[in-house]
Amino acid sequence: MSSRYRLFDRSQLSVLPLADRRSLIDVSIVEEKSLRDEVHPSFVSVAHGLAEARRDGNARVLMIGAHVLRSGMQEYIFDLMEEGLISYIAVNGACAVHDFELALHGSTTECVATYISNGQFGLWQETGLLNDIVINGVKSGLGFGEAVGEYIVNEKLPHADISLFAKAYKLGIPITVHVGIGYDIVHEHPNCDGKAVGEASYIDFLIFAAALESLEGGVVMNFGSAVMAPEIYLKALSMVRNAAAGDGRTVSDFITLVCDLHDLPEQVSAEAPKTSAQYYFRPWKTMLVRTVADGGRSYYVRGFHTDTIPQLWTAVRRNSSS
């Protein structure tokens, strides 16, 4: 049985090579690590928390939006991974697109205003390889993130050295991709298989939930994800707490950190009233208030990723040398 409604015919699409696209970002955006003179006090507390979580084998979770990669913060994150201060990474579908394009082609990010005018936005041949990678990965029982990391490493893509997925795969750190169907440009492509995308991303969600089973005494950090991060974290944490309650355990003593550009008050331990637009900023009420209300600690730092991630890294380096 099929739908009674007409589906878009993807055979009509013209998918062009990336060589025809004018990209806005290339590998030169990746910054070399450098210590910052000033560090927000919250990062000092989080650095201590990360060190303690590493010592005790508790979760050190990084959740990011795609702009973190587009800001060139890869080397800072790589160092935290290599030092064992990040044990798990969760990203959205756009992260996979940008990381893969950079690894394969050395450039990423198109001008939406330019290419939406003629309907070419997102329709680039090489980027569509992600769909094939996911389809093949699911056949092998792999989630989205592991399949992409494995491909970049095994195929020795030209710029694999700046790939977050490749670094995670090499280090054995789970990186999971949490996709909303229709959110990402690869969903436009004729070779996109929604069943495979859904299965791969759901495998990743279960991997993510398993990672939160060791969150007691751990740290969860969110840089720039206003919807994906707080939503999957909320559901996975509920699953983990539900299972823990059956064993007479609790998952309540951990640290959350959110870094974004919203103007929040200095004290974020109480959520905004429903009459305020800030109430609907999910990272605040979900990650900074509700899920740490039973014994956790939360921190918020406002700033661009090019400021906040280097400051966190600096705090970590200073903590390790003290």
Side-chain angles (χ1 to χ4, degrees), residues 59 206-216 236 239-240 243-244 249 251:
L206 296 180
I207 295 171
F208 176 71
L212 294 194
E213 289 184 298
S214 60
L215 182 57
E216 183 74 3
M239 293 163 68
V240 167
R249 297 180 293 109
V251 181

Side-chain angles (χ1 to χ4, degrees), residues 276-288:
S276 168
Q278 291 179 325
Y279 173 82
Y280 301 95
F281 179 53
R282 286 173 170 82
W284 184 3
K285 64 182 178 182
T286 298
M287 302 193 72
L288 300 177

